[in-house]
Amino acid sequence: MKDYVTDNIGSVKQRYGVPDQMQSCHTARIGGYTVEGHIPVSAIQRLLKERPKVAGIAVPGMPLGSPGMESPLKKESYTVFTFTASGRTQPFQAVKGEG
């Protein structure tokens, strides 16, 4: 694994085709896919197993209860989306919140 630090994360998101409405605070490349935001491990495992013809997956924003955004008070429901190089998005996996 390599870690790249940049002062211009927007250019990284643009380079890998992350649609504006799918952007979050973290961008990674895993198995040839772009992984954007606070993605649960189960979604990454599913992506790598199923290998859909998409550019990547994303969780827009920073939902409470998502990995890295844990809260003892609340877990929001949210959706992991796929996105294509042309910017088309589609729901990939629902994550149910609690509380």
Side-chain angles (χ1 to χ4, degrees):
M1 180 171 87
K2 293 182 182 179
D3 186 18
Y4 297 96
V5 178
T6 180
D7 290 332
N8 188 358
I9 192 67
S11 68
V12 174
K13 295 173 190 305
Q14 184 178 28
R15 176 180 178 189
Y16 292 111
V18 180
D20 290 345
Q21 72 274 21
M22 293 288 118
Q23 293 185 9
S24 185
C25 52
H26 306 285
T27 306
R29 294 284 295 164
I30 301 172
Y33 291 101
T34 301
V35 176
E36 177 73 12
H38 295 263
I39 307 284
V41 171
S42 63
I44 296 169
Q45 290 171 331
R46 178 178 167 207
L47 175 73
L48 296 174
K49 180 180 179 184
E50 295 179 8
R51 310 275 320 160
K53 294 184 181 195
V54 298
I57 57 176
V59 170
M62 297 168 58
L64 282 177
S66 63
M69 294 298 298
E70 293 86 357
S71 168
L73 304 176
K74 183 177 180 183
K75 288 178 104 176
E76 297 176 319
S77 295
Y78 61 95
T79 302
V80 179
F81 293 89
T82 60
F83 61 90
T84 64
S86 66
R88 190 173 138 245
T89 63
Q90 184 173 326
F92 181 66
Q93 182 172 309
V95 180
K96 186 176 179 188
E98 304 167 359

